[in-house]
PDB file of all heavy atoms in Angstrom:
ATOM      1  N   GLY A 845      18.854 -17.721  -2.761  1.00 95.00           N
ATOM      2  CA  GLY A 845      19.953 -17.071  -2.109  1.00 95.00           C
ATOM      3  C   GLY A 845      19.913 -15.565  -2.152  1.00 95.00           C
ATOM      4  O   GLY A 845      20.703 -14.916  -1.411  1.00 95.00           O
ATOM      5  N   GLU A 846      19.122 -14.978  -2.971  1.00 96.00           N
ATOM      6  CA  GLU A 846      19.046 -13.524  -3.140  1.00 96.00           C
ATOM      7  C   GLU A 846      18.519 -12.915  -1.831  1.00 96.00           C
ATOM      8  O   GLU A 846      17.493 -13.307  -1.318  1.00 96.00           O
ATOM      9  CB  GLU A 846      18.133 -13.192  -4.304  1.00 96.00           C
ATOM     10  CG  GLU A 846      18.213 -11.777  -4.775  1.00 96.00           C
ATOM     11  CD  GLU A 846      17.347 -11.520  -5.983  1.00 96.00           C
ATOM     12  OE1 GLU A 846      17.414 -12.288  -6.940  1.00 96.00           O
ATOM     13  OE2 GLU A 846      16.492 -10.671  -5.925  1.00 96.00           O
ATOM     14  N   SER A 847      19.217 -11.903  -1.239  1.00 97.00           N
ATOM     15  CA  SER A 847      18.921 -11.392   0.068  1.00 97.00           C
ATOM     16  C   SER A 847      19.085  -9.884   0.049  1.00 97.00           C
ATOM     17  O   SER A 847      19.837  -9.324  -0.729  1.00 97.00           O
ATOM     18  CB  SER A 847      19.850 -12.025   1.132  1.00 97.00           C
ATOM     19  OG  SER A 847      19.755 -13.478   1.036  1.00 97.00           O
ATOM     20  N   PHE A 848      18.458  -9.216   0.960  1.00 98.00           N
ATOM     21  CA  PHE A 848      18.611  -7.750   1.148  1.00 98.00           C
ATOM     22  C   PHE A 848      18.367  -7.325   2.491  1.00 98.00           C
ATOM     23  O   PHE A 848      17.722  -7.969   3.359  1.00 98.00           O
ATOM     24  CB  PHE A 848      17.590  -7.148   0.207  1.00 98.00           C
ATOM     25  CG  PHE A 848      16.147  -7.280   0.585  1.00 98.00           C
ATOM     26  CD1 PHE A 848      15.553  -6.315   1.519  1.00 98.00           C
ATOM     27  CD2 PHE A 848      15.383  -8.288   0.108  1.00 98.00           C
ATOM     28  CE1 PHE A 848      14.236  -6.447   1.909  1.00 98.00           C
ATOM     29  CE2 PHE A 848      13.998  -8.361   0.440  1.00 98.00           C
ATOM     30  CZ  PHE A 848      13.448  -7.497   1.374  1.00 98.00           C
ATOM     31  N   PHE A 849      18.866  -6.137   2.802  1.00 98.00           N
ATOM     32  CA  PHE A 849      18.561  -5.326   3.945  1.00 98.00           C
ATOM     33  C   PHE A 849      18.229  -3.919   3.413  1.00 98.00           C
ATOM     34  O   PHE A 849      18.905  -3.416   2.547  1.00 98.00           O
ATOM     35  CB  PHE A 849      19.719  -5.239   4.965  1.00 98.00           C
ATOM     36  CG  PHE A 849      20.308  -6.495   5.352  1.00 98.00           C
ATOM     37  CD1 PHE A 849      21.476  -6.953   4.724  1.00 98.00           C
ATOM     38  CD2 PHE A 849      19.644  -7.230   6.272  1.00 98.00           C
ATOM     39  CE1 PHE A 849      22.001  -8.211   5.113  1.00 98.00           C
ATOM     40  CE2 PHE A 849      20.226  -8.498   6.649  1.00 98.00           C
ATOM     41  CZ  PHE A 849      21.404  -8.965   6.083  1.00 98.00           C
ATOM     42  N   VAL A 850      17.129  -3.306   3.919  1.00 98.00           N
ATOM     43  CA  VAL A 850      16.780  -1.994   3.380  1.00 98.00           C
ATOM     44  C   VAL A 850      16.087  -1.139   4.444  1.00 98.00           C
ATOM     45  O   VAL A 850      15.381  -1.645   5.322  1.00 98.00           O
ATOM     46  CB  VAL A 850      15.836  -2.109   2.116  1.00 98.00           C
ATOM     47  CG1 VAL A 850      14.438  -2.637   2.521  1.00 98.00           C
ATOM     48  CG2 VAL A 850      15.731  -0.779   1.347  1.00 98.00           C
ATOM     49  N   SER A 851      16.256   0.179   4.378  1.00 97.00           N
ATOM     50  CA  SER A 851      15.561   1.077   5.249  1.00 97.00           C
ATOM     51  C   SER A 851      14.553   1.923   4.475  1.00 97.00           C
ATOM     52  O   SER A 851      14.665   2.055   3.220  1.00 97.00           O
ATOM     53  CB  SER A 851      16.561   2.007   5.900  1.00 97.00           C
ATOM     54  OG  SER A 851      17.295   2.836   4.997  1.00 97.00           O
ATOM     55  N   TYR A 852      13.580   2.472   5.197  1.00 96.00           N
ATOM     56  CA  TYR A 852      12.441   3.156   4.504  1.00 96.00           C
ATOM     57  C   TYR A 852      12.274   4.531   5.200  1.00 96.00           C
ATOM     58  O   TYR A 852      12.183   4.626   6.434  1.00 96.00           O
ATOM     59  CB  TYR A 852      11.175   2.330   4.665  1.00 96.00           C
ATOM     60  CG  TYR A 852       9.988   2.934   4.025  1.00 96.00           C
ATOM     61  CD1 TYR A 852       9.725   2.743   2.703  1.00 96.00           C
ATOM     62  CD2 TYR A 852       9.020   3.624   4.833  1.00 96.00           C
ATOM     63  CE1 TYR A 852       8.611   3.320   2.106  1.00 96.00           C
ATOM     64  CE2 TYR A 852       7.843   4.081   4.247  1.00 96.00           C
ATOM     65  CZ  TYR A 852       7.633   3.984   2.932  1.00 96.00           C
ATOM     66  OH  TYR A 852       6.514   4.535   2.327  1.00 96.00           O
ATOM     67  N   ARG A 853      12.261   5.593   4.375  1.00 94.00           N
ATOM     68  CA  ARG A 853      12.189   6.946   4.894  1.00 94.00           C
ATOM     69  C   ARG A 853      13.142   7.158   6.048  1.00 94.00           C
ATOM     70  O   ARG A 853      12.776   7.442   7.219  1.00 94.00           O
ATOM     71  CB  ARG A 853      10.708   7.252   5.273  1.00 94.00           C
ATOM     72  CG  ARG A 853       9.780   7.377   4.072  1.00 94.00           C
ATOM     73  CD  ARG A 853       8.365   7.762   4.507  1.00 94.00           C
ATOM     74  NE  ARG A 853       7.518   7.872   3.294  1.00 94.00           N
ATOM     75  CZ  ARG A 853       6.225   8.076   3.249  1.00 94.00           C
ATOM     76  NH1 ARG A 853       5.582   8.126   4.427  1.00 94.00           N
ATOM     77  NH2 ARG A 853       5.562   8.166   2.125  1.00 94.00           N
ATOM     78  N   ASP A 854      14.410   7.063   5.685  1.00 95.00           N
ATOM     79  CA  ASP A 854      15.505   6.991   6.605  1.00 95.00           C
ATOM     80  C   ASP A 854      16.259   8.357   6.611  1.00 95.00           C
ATOM     81  O   ASP A 854      16.690   8.797   5.482  1.00 95.00           O
ATOM     82  CB  ASP A 854      16.438   5.869   6.208  1.00 95.00           C
ATOM     83  CG  ASP A 854      17.556   5.565   7.178  1.00 95.00           C
ATOM     84  OD1 ASP A 854      17.800   6.406   8.041  1.00 95.00           O
ATOM     85  OD2 ASP A 854      18.253   4.510   6.979  1.00 95.00           O
ATOM     86  N   PRO A 855      16.458   9.052   7.751  1.00 94.00           N
ATOM     87  CA  PRO A 855      17.214  10.290   7.709  1.00 94.00           C
ATOM     88  C   PRO A 855      18.725  10.072   7.448  1.00 94.00           C
ATOM     89  O   PRO A 855      19.415  11.023   7.172  1.00 94.00           O
ATOM     90  CB  PRO A 855      16.899  10.866   9.077  1.00 94.00           C
ATOM     91  CG  PRO A 855      16.648   9.681   9.948  1.00 94.00           C
ATOM     92  CD  PRO A 855      16.003   8.665   9.071  1.00 94.00           C
ATOM     93  N   HIS A 856      19.168   8.865   7.644  1.00 96.00           N
ATOM     94  CA  HIS A 856      20.604   8.518   7.596  1.00 96.00           C
ATOM     95  C   HIS A 856      20.990   7.821   6.335  1.00 96.00           C
ATOM     96  O   HIS A 856      20.080   7.366   5.534  1.00 96.00           O
ATOM     97  CB  HIS A 856      20.999   7.753   8.802  1.00 96.00           C
ATOM     98  CG  HIS A 856      20.713   8.360  10.082  1.00 96.00           C
ATOM     99  ND1 HIS A 856      21.431   9.501  10.567  1.00 96.00           N
ATOM    100  CD2 HIS A 856      19.816   8.070  11.029  1.00 96.00           C
ATOM    101  CE1 HIS A 856      20.914   9.911  11.663  1.00 96.00           C
ATOM    102  NE2 HIS A 856      19.929   8.997  12.056  1.00 96.00           N
ATOM    103  N   LEU A 857      22.285   7.658   6.114  1.00 97.00           N
ATOM    104  CA  LEU A 857      22.863   6.894   4.966  1.00 97.00           C
ATOM    105  C   LEU A 857      24.000   6.079   5.517  1.00 97.00           C
ATOM    106  O   LEU A 857      23.974   4.888   5.686  1.00 97.00           O
ATOM    107  CB  LEU A 857      23.210   7.755   3.763  1.00 97.00           C
ATOM    108  CG  LEU A 857      23.358   7.046   2.419  1.00 97.00           C
ATOM    109  CD1 LEU A 857      23.314   8.066   1.274  1.00 97.00           C
ATOM    110  CD2 LEU A 857      24.585   6.185   2.315  1.00 97.00           C
ATOM    111  N   SER A 858      25.090   6.748   5.800  1.00 97.00           N
ATOM    112  CA  SER A 858      26.355   6.099   6.249  1.00 97.00           C
ATOM    113  C   SER A 858      26.147   5.356   7.533  1.00 97.00           C
ATOM    114  O   SER A 858      26.597   4.226   7.693  1.00 97.00           O
ATOM    115  CB  SER A 858      27.455   7.125   6.421  1.00 97.00           C
ATOM    116  OG  SER A 858      27.778   7.769   5.214  1.00 97.00           O
ATOM    117  N   ARG A 859      25.368   5.957   8.432  1.00 97.00           N
ATOM    118  CA  ARG A 859      25.103   5.272   9.712  1.00 97.00           C
ATOM    119  C   ARG A 859      24.302   3.988   9.473  1.00 97.00           C
ATOM    120  O   ARG A 859      24.590   2.923  10.187  1.00 97.00           O
ATOM    121  CB  ARG A 859      24.289   6.187  10.643  1.00 97.00           C
ATOM    122  CG  ARG A 859      23.887   5.592  11.996  1.00 97.00           C
ATOM    123  CD  ARG A 859      22.921   6.488  12.736  1.00 97.00           C
ATOM    124  NE  ARG A 859      22.606   5.926  14.059  1.00 97.00           N
ATOM    125  CZ  ARG A 859      21.633   5.003  14.175  1.00 97.00           C
ATOM    126  NH1 ARG A 859      21.020   4.480  13.128  1.00 97.00           N
ATOM    127  NH2 ARG A 859      21.420   4.473  15.390  1.00 97.00           N
ATOM    128  N   THR A 860      23.407   3.996   8.595  1.00 98.00           N
ATOM    129  CA  THR A 860      22.657   2.780   8.253  1.00 98.00           C
ATOM    130  C   THR A 860      23.480   1.665   7.673  1.00 98.00           C
ATOM    131  O   THR A 860      23.282   0.557   8.063  1.00 98.00           O
ATOM    132  CB  THR A 860      21.477   3.139   7.301  1.00 98.00           C
ATOM    133  OG1 THR A 860      20.619   4.088   7.895  1.00 98.00           O
ATOM    134  CG2 THR A 860      20.663   1.950   6.868  1.00 98.00           C
TER     135      THR A 860
END
Side-chain angles (χ1 to χ4, degrees):
E846 194 177 308
S847 307
F848 69 86
F849 308 100
V850 69
S851 62
Y852 181 81
R853 291 183 177 173
D854 187 348
H856 302 289
L857 197 166
S858 298
R859 179 188 180 280
T860 298

